[in-house]
Amino acid sequence: MPIKRWIPHPVKQALKHRISDWRFNRAFAAFRRAPRLALSNRDLLGELRRGWGNEGWAADTEYLEVVLERALALRGPVLECGSGLSTLLVGAIAEHEGMELWTLEHHPGWFDCVRKQLNRYALRSTRLILAPIEDYGEFSWYRPPLEDMPGRFTLVICDGPPGDTPGGRYGLLPVMRERLSATAEILLDDTSRPAEARIARRWGQESGATVTFLGRDNGFASIKLGG
Ligand SMILES: C[S@@+](CC[C@H](N)C(=O)[O-])C[C@H]1O[C@@H](n2cnc3c(N)ncnc32)[C@H](O)[C@@H]1O
């Protein structure tokens, strides 16, 4: 009889968790040493996703690559909607490059989980904010602490709130427009879903932004303000 059949289920789960954690820790250390190299290293990004272990929800490799490339290229504060693996990776870049990352998260349990990871890796340039979803009338969206936030975000990583929020991710532009730089870029994930694709087009129509659909596997879009 194979030995693994003798291992009780809870012990197996604990072992799996330890192995994922070890994998993530090792891959994250490699990423932090040379974040630019990760752009051409899909294996490393894949390893980070597997180690993070929330694969149904974490940003996919193609979207992450573009997010990381822009975070490394653009100067200025970054706004993120919806936290997770991307928060750790962009948080590491922010630490390395002397930038600020502001991340909005509505779910208290998930907020605690991501906060623990940020503390574990001492990512102090990341401001993770517990921002409840508020009803704005036509749509619902996060309630951000505008009075504390920077004036001009240059990049927005838009991977939340979840799709069952009334209006989905639409609220970003009406609520945050005044806090985005005139040439800010929004990277909107999940535009292979009709609701997110409609939001990208609507933002383009309402703000004159240039909308480009990208991605081979799961689609995402770049929305560039200022044409
Ligand atoms: C698509 S996820 C954001 C993922 C993040 N960009 C990443 O790379 O991991 C959007 C929101 O879903 C929620 N979420 C994350 N993981 C979840 C899970 N396993 N089950 C339910 N909700 C989850 C969190 O509130 C998060 O802000």
Side-chain angles (χ1 to χ4, degrees):
M1 189 179 284
I3 291 174
K4 64 180 182 182
R5 290 184 63 183
W6 287 92
I7 303 176
H9 184 69
V11 177
K12 254 195 228 169
Q13 289 304 103
L15 271 174
K16 263 184 161 174
H17 181 76
R18 289 287 289 273
I19 291 167
S20 288
D21 193 55
W22 175 81
R23 270 179 116 165
F24 182 78
N25 207 25
R26 193 182 58 160
F28 193 58
F31 177 80
R32 287 189 86 170
R33 273 195 299 278
R36 275 171 214 281
L37 290 183
L39 295 180
S40 51
N41 188 347
R42 282 205 155 199
D43 290 346
L44 180 59
L45 290 179
E47 189 64 6
L48 284 161
R49 285 189 90 248
R50 282 187 292 277
W52 181 249
N54 191 24
E55 285 181 73
W57 290 78
D60 78 7
T61 311
E62 223 181 357
Y63 178 69
L64 276 179
E65 271 175 349
V66 175
V67 162
L68 300 179
E69 188 252 310
R70 299 296 203 274
L72 282 161
L74 292 174
R75 289 279 148 246
V78 177
L79 172 66
E80 182 180 47
C81 310
S83 65
L85 174 60
S86 50
T87 313
L88 274 275
L89 300 184
V90 179
I93 290 176
E95 201 74 14
H96 204 258
E97 305 286 312
M99 299 146 37
E100 267 183 71
L101 168 65
W102 286 71
T103 300
L104 304 176
E105 174 55 54
H106 74 286
H107 190 284
W110 188 243
F111 169 86
D112 278 345
C113 174
V114 176
R115 186 178 54 179
K116 273 190 196 124
Q117 295 297 325
L118 289 170
N119 288 342
R120 174 185 185 189
Y121 293 108
L123 297 176
R124 296 192 188 87
S125 306
T126 302
R127 298 281 304 269
L128 179 67
I129 308 290
L130 181 60
I133 301 290
E134 182 166 286
D135 181 357
Y136 288 83
E138 191 202 340
F139 57 83
S140 295
W141 203 69
Y142 303 99
R143 190 172 70 225
L146 288 173
E147 60 291 352
D148 299 331
M149 295 177 93
R152 292 282 175 263
F153 288 102
T154 53
L155 174 66
V156 185
I157 304 159
C158 187
D159 198 11
D164 57 1
T165 307
R169 299 170 184 180
Y170 172 72
L172 166 69
L173 215 51
V175 177
M176 296 301 297
R177 181 72 201 259
E178 295 299 311
R179 296 307 183 92
L180 305 184
S181 90
T183 54
E185 180 172 14
I186 303 167
L187 292 171
L188 173 64
D189 200 8
D190 301 314
T191 55
S192 48
R193 302 196 297 234
E196 275 73 10
R198 271 197 300 279
I199 289 169
R201 283 193 214 95
R202 186 170 171 195
W203 283 343
Q205 283 156 8
E206 291 179 357
S207 71
T210 302
V211 179
T212 311
F213 288 94
L214 301 163
R216 285 179 303 276
D217 305 332
N218 292 309
F220 59 96
S222 153
I223 295 103
K224 283 194 176 148
L225 302 185

